[in-house]
Short mmCIF file of all heavy atoms in Angstrom, two decimals:
data_model
loop_
_atom_site.label_atom_id
_atom_site.label_comp_id
_atom_site.label_asym_id
_atom_site.label_seq_id
_atom_site.Cartn_x
_atom_site.Cartn_y
_atom_site.Cartn_z
N MET A 1 4.20 5.15 -2.01
CA MET A 1 4.21 4.81 -3.42
C MET A 1 3.95 6.15 -4.27
O MET A 1 2.95 6.80 -3.94
CB MET A 1 3.15 3.76 -3.75
CG MET A 1 3.23 3.22 -5.14
SD MET A 1 1.99 1.92 -5.41
CE MET A 1 2.44 0.76 -4.19
N PRO A 2 4.77 6.41 -5.21
CA PRO A 2 4.55 7.67 -6.02
C PRO A 2 3.36 7.64 -6.89
O PRO A 2 2.95 6.56 -7.29
CB PRO A 2 5.88 7.73 -6.80
CG PRO A 2 6.33 6.32 -6.92
CD PRO A 2 5.94 5.62 -5.67
N ARG A 3 2.85 8.79 -7.09
CA ARG A 3 1.68 8.88 -7.95
C ARG A 3 2.10 9.53 -9.25
O ARG A 3 2.93 10.45 -9.28
CB ARG A 3 0.57 9.72 -7.31
CG ARG A 3 -0.15 8.85 -6.26
CD ARG A 3 -1.37 9.58 -5.82
NE ARG A 3 -1.17 10.82 -5.11
CZ ARG A 3 -2.03 11.47 -4.48
NH1 ARG A 3 -3.24 10.99 -4.35
NH2 ARG A 3 -1.78 12.63 -3.88
N TYR A 4 1.56 9.06 -10.34
CA TYR A 4 1.84 9.59 -11.64
C TYR A 4 0.61 10.11 -12.36
O TYR A 4 -0.42 9.48 -12.29
CB TYR A 4 2.47 8.51 -12.51
CG TYR A 4 3.79 7.98 -11.89
CD1 TYR A 4 3.81 6.88 -11.06
CD2 TYR A 4 5.02 8.61 -12.10
CE1 TYR A 4 4.96 6.40 -10.51
CE2 TYR A 4 6.16 8.19 -11.52
CZ TYR A 4 6.13 7.03 -10.73
OH TYR A 4 7.23 6.58 -10.11
N ASP A 5 0.74 11.20 -12.96
CA ASP A 5 -0.38 11.77 -13.73
C ASP A 5 -0.26 11.34 -15.17
O ASP A 5 0.75 11.36 -15.82
CB ASP A 5 -0.27 13.33 -13.66
CG ASP A 5 -0.51 13.84 -12.24
OD1 ASP A 5 -1.41 13.20 -11.52
OD2 ASP A 5 -0.01 14.86 -11.88
N PHE A 6 -1.45 11.00 -15.67
CA PHE A 6 -1.57 10.60 -17.06
C PHE A 6 -2.62 11.40 -17.71
O PHE A 6 -3.59 11.89 -17.11
CB PHE A 6 -1.94 9.09 -17.15
CG PHE A 6 -0.81 8.15 -16.72
CD1 PHE A 6 -0.72 7.84 -15.37
CD2 PHE A 6 0.04 7.61 -17.64
CE1 PHE A 6 0.32 6.99 -14.94
CE2 PHE A 6 1.05 6.76 -17.18
CZ PHE A 6 1.15 6.43 -15.90
N ARG A 7 -2.48 11.52 -19.01
CA ARG A 7 -3.52 12.16 -19.84
C ARG A 7 -3.90 11.27 -20.98
O ARG A 7 -2.99 10.67 -21.62
CB ARG A 7 -3.11 13.53 -20.34
CG ARG A 7 -4.26 14.30 -20.95
CD ARG A 7 -3.84 15.71 -21.30
NE ARG A 7 -2.77 15.76 -22.25
CZ ARG A 7 -3.01 15.75 -23.59
NH1 ARG A 7 -4.17 15.76 -24.04
NH2 ARG A 7 -1.97 15.76 -24.43
N CYS A 8 -5.15 11.08 -21.19
CA CYS A 8 -5.63 10.25 -22.27
C CYS A 8 -5.81 11.11 -23.46
O CYS A 8 -6.41 12.18 -23.50
CB CYS A 8 -7.02 9.67 -21.93
SG CYS A 8 -7.67 8.65 -23.22
N ARG A 9 -5.20 10.63 -24.59
CA ARG A 9 -5.25 11.39 -25.86
C ARG A 9 -6.52 11.06 -26.65
O ARG A 9 -6.74 11.62 -27.66
CB ARG A 9 -4.07 11.08 -26.71
CG ARG A 9 -2.76 11.71 -26.08
CD ARG A 9 -1.51 11.73 -26.93
NE ARG A 9 -1.08 10.37 -27.21
CZ ARG A 9 0.04 10.10 -27.85
NH1 ARG A 9 0.84 11.08 -28.28
NH2 ARG A 9 0.49 8.95 -28.05
N SER A 10 -7.23 10.05 -26.16
CA SER A 10 -8.45 9.69 -26.81
C SER A 10 -9.60 10.52 -26.39
O SER A 10 -10.36 11.10 -27.21
CB SER A 10 -8.78 8.21 -26.62
OG SER A 10 -7.81 7.39 -27.24
N CYS A 11 -9.73 10.73 -25.07
CA CYS A 11 -10.88 11.50 -24.56
C CYS A 11 -10.43 12.74 -23.78
O CYS A 11 -11.25 13.54 -23.33
CB CYS A 11 -11.77 10.63 -23.63
SG CYS A 11 -10.90 10.06 -22.13
N GLY A 12 -9.10 12.92 -23.59
CA GLY A 12 -8.64 14.17 -23.02
C GLY A 12 -8.69 14.14 -21.48
O GLY A 12 -8.36 15.10 -20.89
N ALA A 13 -9.08 12.98 -20.91
CA ALA A 13 -9.18 12.90 -19.45
C ALA A 13 -7.78 12.84 -18.85
O ALA A 13 -6.87 12.28 -19.39
CB ALA A 13 -10.03 11.67 -19.04
N THR A 14 -7.67 13.43 -17.64
CA THR A 14 -6.43 13.33 -16.89
C THR A 14 -6.76 12.52 -15.70
O THR A 14 -7.82 12.64 -15.04
CB THR A 14 -5.91 14.67 -16.50
OG1 THR A 14 -6.85 15.36 -15.77
CG2 THR A 14 -5.45 15.45 -17.74
N PHE A 15 -5.81 11.63 -15.33
CA PHE A 15 -6.00 10.82 -14.19
C PHE A 15 -4.64 10.52 -13.52
O PHE A 15 -3.59 10.76 -14.16
CB PHE A 15 -6.79 9.52 -14.50
CG PHE A 15 -6.03 8.76 -15.60
CD1 PHE A 15 -5.32 7.62 -15.23
CD2 PHE A 15 -6.18 9.09 -16.87
CE1 PHE A 15 -4.68 6.87 -16.25
CE2 PHE A 15 -5.52 8.33 -17.89
CZ PHE A 15 -4.77 7.26 -17.57
N GLU A 16 -4.66 10.04 -12.35
CA GLU A 16 -3.39 9.75 -11.70
C GLU A 16 -3.49 8.31 -11.13
O GLU A 16 -4.54 7.79 -10.74
CB GLU A 16 -3.07 10.70 -10.62
CG GLU A 16 -4.01 10.72 -9.43
CD GLU A 16 -3.55 11.72 -8.39
OE1 GLU A 16 -2.82 12.73 -8.76
OE2 GLU A 16 -3.88 11.56 -7.21
N LEU A 17 -2.31 7.67 -11.13
CA LEU A 17 -2.19 6.32 -10.64
C LEU A 17 -1.09 6.20 -9.63
O LEU A 17 -0.06 6.89 -9.72
CB LEU A 17 -1.85 5.37 -11.83
CG LEU A 17 -2.95 5.13 -12.91
CD1 LEU A 17 -2.45 4.33 -13.97
CD2 LEU A 17 -4.25 4.54 -12.26
N SER A 18 -1.38 5.43 -8.64
CA SER A 18 -0.29 5.08 -7.64
C SER A 18 0.30 3.74 -8.11
O SER A 18 -0.41 2.77 -8.14
CB SER A 18 -0.89 5.03 -6.28
OG SER A 18 -1.36 6.23 -5.87
N ARG A 19 1.58 3.86 -8.29
CA ARG A 19 2.25 2.58 -8.75
C ARG A 19 3.68 2.64 -8.44
O ARG A 19 4.25 3.74 -8.15
CB ARG A 19 2.12 2.41 -10.34
CG ARG A 19 2.56 3.67 -11.05
CD ARG A 19 2.70 3.41 -12.51
NE ARG A 19 1.56 2.70 -13.14
CZ ARG A 19 1.48 2.54 -14.40
NH1 ARG A 19 2.39 2.91 -15.18
NH2 ARG A 19 0.48 1.84 -14.97
N PRO A 20 4.27 1.50 -8.26
CA PRO A 20 5.73 1.46 -8.00
C PRO A 20 6.54 2.13 -9.08
O PRO A 20 6.12 2.21 -10.21
CB PRO A 20 6.05 -0.04 -7.90
CG PRO A 20 4.77 -0.68 -7.62
CD PRO A 20 3.73 0.11 -8.38
N MET A 21 7.71 2.73 -8.63
CA MET A 21 8.53 3.39 -9.56
C MET A 21 8.95 2.45 -10.69
O MET A 21 9.24 2.89 -11.80
CB MET A 21 9.75 4.01 -8.91
CG MET A 21 9.37 5.14 -7.98
SD MET A 21 10.83 5.94 -7.25
CE MET A 21 11.52 6.78 -8.67
N ALA A 22 9.13 1.23 -10.39
CA ALA A 22 9.52 0.27 -11.38
C ALA A 22 8.50 0.20 -12.58
O ALA A 22 8.90 -0.20 -13.70
CB ALA A 22 9.74 -1.05 -10.79
N GLN A 23 7.30 0.61 -12.26
CA GLN A 23 6.26 0.48 -13.34
C GLN A 23 5.93 1.88 -13.82
O GLN A 23 4.80 2.05 -14.39
CB GLN A 23 5.02 -0.25 -12.74
CG GLN A 23 5.28 -1.60 -12.25
CD GLN A 23 4.13 -2.29 -11.60
OE1 GLN A 23 2.98 -1.79 -11.74
NE2 GLN A 23 4.31 -3.39 -10.90
N ALA A 24 6.73 2.83 -13.55
CA ALA A 24 6.39 4.24 -13.86
C ALA A 24 6.12 4.41 -15.30
O ALA A 24 5.24 5.21 -15.69
CB ALA A 24 7.51 5.13 -13.35
N ASN A 25 6.85 3.70 -16.17
CA ASN A 25 6.67 3.93 -17.61
C ASN A 25 5.85 2.86 -18.25
O ASN A 25 5.76 2.82 -19.44
CB ASN A 25 8.10 3.90 -18.21
CG ASN A 25 8.93 5.13 -17.80
OD1 ASN A 25 8.37 6.24 -17.71
ND2 ASN A 25 10.19 4.94 -17.47
N ASP A 26 5.21 2.08 -17.44
CA ASP A 26 4.29 1.13 -18.03
C ASP A 26 3.06 1.84 -18.59
O ASP A 26 2.65 2.91 -18.09
CB ASP A 26 3.79 0.12 -16.99
CG ASP A 26 4.92 -0.89 -16.70
OD1 ASP A 26 6.10 -0.71 -17.21
OD2 ASP A 26 4.64 -1.78 -15.93
N PRO A 27 2.47 1.31 -19.64
CA PRO A 27 1.31 1.93 -20.23
C PRO A 27 0.18 1.84 -19.24
O PRO A 27 0.02 0.87 -18.43
CB PRO A 27 0.99 1.05 -21.52
CG PRO A 27 1.72 -0.21 -21.29
CD PRO A 27 2.94 0.13 -20.44
N ALA A 28 -0.67 2.87 -19.22
CA ALA A 28 -1.83 2.93 -18.34
C ALA A 28 -3.07 3.27 -19.11
O ALA A 28 -3.03 4.13 -19.98
CB ALA A 28 -1.55 4.00 -17.28
N ALA A 29 -4.10 2.56 -18.84
CA ALA A 29 -5.38 2.81 -19.59
C ALA A 29 -6.17 3.89 -18.68
O ALA A 29 -6.06 3.90 -17.56
CB ALA A 29 -6.16 1.54 -19.65
N CYS A 30 -6.78 4.76 -19.42
CA CYS A 30 -7.58 5.77 -18.81
C CYS A 30 -8.86 5.21 -18.23
O CYS A 30 -9.17 4.04 -18.45
CB CYS A 30 -7.92 6.90 -19.79
SG CYS A 30 -9.47 6.76 -20.61
N PRO A 31 -9.48 5.93 -17.26
CA PRO A 31 -10.73 5.42 -16.64
C PRO A 31 -11.77 4.98 -17.68
O PRO A 31 -12.64 4.17 -17.34
CB PRO A 31 -11.19 6.62 -15.80
CG PRO A 31 -9.94 7.37 -15.45
CD PRO A 31 -9.11 7.23 -16.72
N GLN A 32 -11.69 5.46 -18.88
CA GLN A 32 -12.68 5.09 -19.86
C GLN A 32 -12.26 3.88 -20.71
O GLN A 32 -12.91 3.40 -21.51
CB GLN A 32 -12.90 6.27 -20.88
CG GLN A 32 -13.29 7.63 -20.16
CD GLN A 32 -14.49 7.49 -19.37
OE1 GLN A 32 -15.46 6.88 -19.72
NE2 GLN A 32 -14.48 8.17 -18.22
N GLY A 33 -10.99 3.43 -20.36
CA GLY A 33 -10.50 2.24 -21.07
C GLY A 33 -9.65 2.42 -22.28
O GLY A 33 -9.25 1.52 -22.88
N HIS A 34 -9.38 3.75 -22.53
CA HIS A 34 -8.53 3.99 -23.65
C HIS A 34 -7.06 3.66 -23.33
O HIS A 34 -6.60 3.94 -22.24
CB HIS A 34 -8.62 5.45 -24.04
CG HIS A 34 -10.05 5.89 -24.40
ND1 HIS A 34 -10.63 6.95 -23.89
CD2 HIS A 34 -10.97 5.28 -25.18
CE1 HIS A 34 -11.91 7.04 -24.30
NE2 HIS A 34 -12.13 6.02 -25.12
N GLN A 35 -6.39 3.26 -24.29
CA GLN A 35 -4.92 2.82 -24.13
C GLN A 35 -4.00 3.95 -24.54
O GLN A 35 -2.81 3.88 -24.31
CB GLN A 35 -4.62 1.63 -24.87
CG GLN A 35 -5.47 0.33 -24.46
CD GLN A 35 -5.11 -0.12 -23.11
OE1 GLN A 35 -3.94 0.00 -22.65
NE2 GLN A 35 -6.10 -0.69 -22.39
N ASP A 36 -4.51 4.90 -25.22
CA ASP A 36 -3.63 5.99 -25.78
C ASP A 36 -3.42 7.11 -24.79
O ASP A 36 -4.01 8.16 -24.89
CB ASP A 36 -4.29 6.59 -27.08
CG ASP A 36 -3.30 7.43 -27.85
OD1 ASP A 36 -2.12 7.45 -27.51
OD2 ASP A 36 -3.79 8.14 -28.75
N THR A 37 -2.59 6.79 -23.87
CA THR A 37 -2.32 7.73 -22.77
C THR A 37 -0.93 8.16 -22.70
O THR A 37 0.05 7.44 -23.20
CB THR A 37 -2.73 7.20 -21.42
OG1 THR A 37 -1.98 6.00 -21.18
CG2 THR A 37 -4.22 6.86 -21.39
N VAL A 38 -0.63 9.31 -22.22
CA VAL A 38 0.73 9.83 -22.04
C VAL A 38 0.96 10.11 -20.54
O VAL A 38 0.03 10.64 -19.87
CB VAL A 38 1.01 11.03 -22.94
CG1 VAL A 38 1.01 10.63 -24.37
CG2 VAL A 38 0.04 12.13 -22.64
N LYS A 39 2.11 9.91 -20.08
CA LYS A 39 2.46 10.24 -18.69
C LYS A 39 2.93 11.69 -18.67
O LYS A 39 3.73 12.14 -19.38
CB LYS A 39 3.59 9.29 -18.15
CG LYS A 39 3.79 9.48 -16.67
CD LYS A 39 4.55 8.26 -16.12
CE LYS A 39 6.05 8.19 -16.59
NZ LYS A 39 6.81 9.36 -15.93
N LEU A 40 2.34 12.35 -17.69
CA LEU A 40 2.66 13.79 -17.54
C LEU A 40 3.79 13.90 -16.52
O LEU A 40 3.98 13.00 -15.68
CB LEU A 40 1.45 14.57 -17.01
CG LEU A 40 0.22 14.45 -17.91
CD1 LEU A 40 -0.94 15.19 -17.26
CD2 LEU A 40 0.53 15.07 -19.27
N LEU A 41 4.45 15.01 -16.54
CA LEU A 41 5.52 15.30 -15.58
C LEU A 41 4.83 15.54 -14.25
O LEU A 41 3.99 16.32 -14.11
CB LEU A 41 6.33 16.50 -16.02
CG LEU A 41 7.18 16.26 -17.28
CD1 LEU A 41 7.93 17.58 -17.53
CD2 LEU A 41 8.28 15.22 -16.98
N SER A 42 5.24 14.82 -13.27
CA SER A 42 4.64 14.90 -11.96
C SER A 42 5.39 15.84 -11.04
O SER A 42 5.21 15.78 -9.90
CB SER A 42 4.57 13.48 -11.31
OG SER A 42 5.91 12.99 -11.18
N THR A 43 6.18 16.62 -11.65
CA THR A 43 6.89 17.71 -10.92
C THR A 43 5.94 18.70 -10.25
O THR A 43 5.04 19.19 -10.90
CB THR A 43 7.89 18.48 -11.79
OG1 THR A 43 8.60 17.47 -12.52
CG2 THR A 43 8.85 19.21 -10.86
N VAL A 44 6.24 18.96 -9.06
CA VAL A 44 5.36 19.92 -8.27
C VAL A 44 5.63 21.40 -8.68
O VAL A 44 4.81 22.19 -8.82
CB VAL A 44 5.46 19.75 -6.78
CG1 VAL A 44 4.60 20.66 -6.06
CG2 VAL A 44 5.20 18.25 -6.46
N ALA A 45 6.92 21.67 -8.83
CA ALA A 45 7.36 23.08 -9.01
C ALA A 45 7.55 23.37 -10.48
O ALA A 45 8.53 24.03 -10.89
CB ALA A 45 8.67 23.29 -8.26
N VAL A 46 6.60 23.00 -11.32
CA VAL A 46 6.72 23.31 -12.76
C VAL A 46 6.37 24.78 -13.02
O VAL A 46 6.94 25.37 -13.93
CB VAL A 46 5.77 22.38 -13.60
CG1 VAL A 46 5.79 22.79 -15.06
CG2 VAL A 46 6.22 20.94 -13.46
N THR A 47 5.44 25.30 -12.27
CA THR A 47 4.84 26.57 -12.58
C THR A 47 5.92 27.73 -12.66
O THR A 47 5.99 28.52 -13.65
CB THR A 47 3.80 26.99 -11.59
OG1 THR A 47 4.34 26.74 -10.30
CG2 THR A 47 2.58 26.09 -11.81
N GLY A 48 6.69 27.88 -11.66
CA GLY A 48 7.59 29.03 -11.55
C GLY A 48 8.66 29.08 -12.65
O GLY A 48 8.71 30.00 -13.49
N ALA A 49 9.44 28.03 -12.77
CA ALA A 49 10.57 28.06 -13.65
C ALA A 49 10.10 27.99 -15.09
O ALA A 49 10.60 28.68 -16.00
CB ALA A 49 11.50 26.89 -13.34
N ALA A 50 9.18 27.16 -15.36
CA ALA A 50 8.74 26.94 -16.76
C ALA A 50 8.04 28.20 -17.29
O ALA A 50 8.29 28.60 -18.42
CB ALA A 50 7.82 25.73 -16.89
N ALA A 51 7.22 28.81 -16.42
CA ALA A 51 6.49 29.95 -16.92
C ALA A 51 7.38 31.20 -17.11
O ALA A 51 7.11 32.07 -17.85
CB ALA A 51 5.37 30.32 -15.96
N GLY A 52 8.49 31.24 -16.30
CA GLY A 52 9.33 32.41 -16.28
C GLY A 52 10.31 32.39 -17.48
O GLY A 52 10.94 33.38 -17.72
N GLY A 53 10.41 31.34 -18.19
CA GLY A 53 11.33 31.24 -19.30
C GLY A 53 12.75 31.20 -18.84
O GLY A 53 13.62 31.84 -19.39
N ALA A 54 13.04 30.44 -17.76
CA ALA A 54 14.33 30.39 -17.18
C ALA A 54 15.33 29.70 -18.16
O ALA A 54 16.56 29.82 -18.01
CB ALA A 54 14.32 29.61 -15.91
N ALA A 55 14.82 29.00 -19.15
CA ALA A 55 15.74 28.22 -20.02
C ALA A 55 16.54 29.23 -20.90
O ALA A 55 17.60 28.87 -21.46
CB ALA A 55 14.87 27.37 -20.91
N GLY A 56 16.08 30.39 -21.09
CA GLY A 56 16.76 31.34 -21.91
C GLY A 56 17.99 32.02 -21.26
O GLY A 56 18.69 32.74 -21.83
N GLY A 57 18.17 31.74 -19.99
CA GLY A 57 19.23 32.31 -19.30
C GLY A 57 18.98 33.71 -18.82
O GLY A 57 19.30 34.72 -19.51
N ALA A 58 18.15 33.81 -17.84
CA ALA A 58 17.80 35.06 -17.37
C ALA A 58 18.95 35.89 -16.79
O ALA A 58 19.88 35.32 -16.21
CB ALA A 58 16.69 34.85 -16.21
N PRO A 59 18.93 37.12 -17.12
CA PRO A 59 20.06 37.99 -16.60
C PRO A 59 20.06 38.08 -15.11
O PRO A 59 19.07 38.28 -14.50
CB PRO A 59 19.75 39.36 -17.29
CG PRO A 59 18.38 39.35 -17.57
CD PRO A 59 17.97 37.92 -17.82
N ARG A 60 21.17 37.91 -14.61
CA ARG A 60 21.30 37.97 -13.11
C ARG A 60 22.20 39.13 -12.78
O ARG A 60 23.20 39.43 -13.50
CB ARG A 60 21.85 36.67 -12.56
CG ARG A 60 21.03 35.49 -12.92
CD ARG A 60 21.62 34.21 -12.25
NE ARG A 60 21.52 34.27 -10.82
CZ ARG A 60 21.67 33.15 -10.03
NH1 ARG A 60 21.94 32.04 -10.60
NH2 ARG A 60 21.50 33.30 -8.75
N GLN A 61 21.92 39.77 -11.67
CA GLN A 61 22.80 40.83 -11.25
C GLN A 61 24.09 40.33 -10.80
O GLN A 61 24.17 39.51 -9.90
CB GLN A 61 22.12 41.63 -10.12
CG GLN A 61 21.08 42.66 -10.57
CD GLN A 61 20.65 43.63 -9.52
OE1 GLN A 61 20.69 43.26 -8.38
NE2 GLN A 61 20.31 44.86 -9.91
N ALA A 62 25.15 40.80 -11.38
CA ALA A 62 26.44 40.31 -11.02
C ALA A 62 26.80 41.05 -9.67
O ALA A 62 26.55 42.17 -9.53
CB ALA A 62 27.53 40.63 -12.12
N PRO A 63 27.53 40.27 -8.79
CA PRO A 63 27.90 40.92 -7.61
C PRO A 63 28.96 41.95 -7.78
O PRO A 63 29.95 41.77 -8.58
CB PRO A 63 28.45 39.70 -6.79
CG PRO A 63 28.74 38.67 -7.79
CD PRO A 63 27.82 38.86 -8.90
N GLY A 64 28.79 43.06 -7.25
CA GLY A 64 29.76 44.14 -7.40
C GLY A 64 29.62 44.91 -8.71
O GLY A 64 30.43 45.69 -9.09
N GLY A 65 28.53 44.68 -9.32
CA GLY A 65 28.33 45.37 -10.59
C GLY A 65 27.64 46.65 -10.43
O GLY A 65 26.97 47.18 -11.37
N GLY A 66 27.63 47.28 -9.33
CA GLY A 66 26.97 48.57 -9.10
C GLY A 66 26.18 48.53 -7.83
O GLY A 66 26.12 47.51 -7.10
N GLY A 67 25.55 49.55 -7.55
CA GLY A 67 24.81 49.65 -6.34
C GLY A 67 25.71 49.85 -5.10
O GLY A 67 26.85 50.22 -5.20
N CYS A 68 25.13 49.40 -3.96
CA CYS A 68 25.88 49.62 -2.75
C CYS A 68 27.15 48.93 -2.76
O CYS A 68 28.18 49.47 -2.35
CB CYS A 68 24.94 49.20 -1.58
SG CYS A 68 25.80 49.14 0.00
N CYS A 69 27.21 47.63 -3.15
CA CYS A 69 28.38 46.88 -2.98
C CYS A 69 29.43 47.14 -4.01
O CYS A 69 30.51 46.56 -3.99
CB CYS A 69 28.04 45.35 -2.94
SG CYS A 69 27.02 44.96 -1.53
N GLY A 70 29.10 48.03 -4.88
CA GLY A 70 30.09 48.23 -6.02
C GLY A 70 31.34 48.86 -5.54
O GLY A 70 32.46 48.61 -6.06
N GLY A 71 31.25 49.72 -4.53
CA GLY A 71 32.38 50.45 -4.10
C GLY A 71 33.16 49.81 -2.90
O GLY A 71 34.01 50.36 -2.38
N GLY A 72 32.61 48.63 -2.52
CA GLY A 72 33.22 48.02 -1.41
C GLY A 72 32.77 48.56 -0.04
O GLY A 72 33.41 48.27 0.95
N CYS A 73 31.59 49.15 -0.09
CA CYS A 73 31.07 49.69 1.17
C CYS A 73 30.63 48.61 2.14
O CYS A 73 30.41 48.83 3.32
CB CYS A 73 29.96 50.75 0.91
SG CYS A 73 28.53 50.04 0.19
N CYS A 74 30.36 47.43 1.49
CA CYS A 74 29.82 46.40 2.38
C CYS A 74 30.90 45.44 2.91
O CYS A 74 30.61 44.51 3.53
CB CYS A 74 28.81 45.58 1.59
SG CYS A 74 27.36 46.57 1.12
N GLY A 75 32.03 45.60 2.55
CA GLY A 75 32.97 44.71 3.06
C GLY A 75 34.36 45.22 2.79
O GLY A 75 35.39 44.56 3.24
ZN1 ZN B 101 -9.76 8.04 -22.43
#
């Protein structure tokens, strides 16, 4: 059963619940009983891509754009 992270906007507490995917978007009360909670992204690999600003379209080295392989020495 997947676990979902929630954050309470009333007291700021974060908590996680195990619930069926069918109920993933159901409202969840925080351990203190507050109903004003938001579901957090439960993605594990958020740190790398999000922190690196990959959304801006990071420049990638084009193959054959210089260096060793530019002159066809590799193939
Ligand atoms: Zn709360």
Side-chain angles (χ1 to χ4, degrees):
M1 190 177 299
R3 285 192 295 195
Y4 300 93
D5 292 324
F6 291 85
R7 188 171 64 86
C8 177
R9 291 192 291 190
S10 293
C11 66
T14 57
F15 57 100
E16 65 179 25
L17 293 176
S18 297
R19 51 166 51 175
M21 291 185 70
Q23 300 175 15
N25 293 318
D26 285 5
C30 95
Q32 308 300 322
H34 303 128
Q35 300 288 332
D36 191 9
T37 58
V38 292
K39 188 162 71 71
L40 303 177
L41 292 176
S42 57
T43 313
V44 181
V46 174
T47 48
R60 304 183 64 166
Q61 278 192 331
C68 173
C69 295
C73 64
C74 295

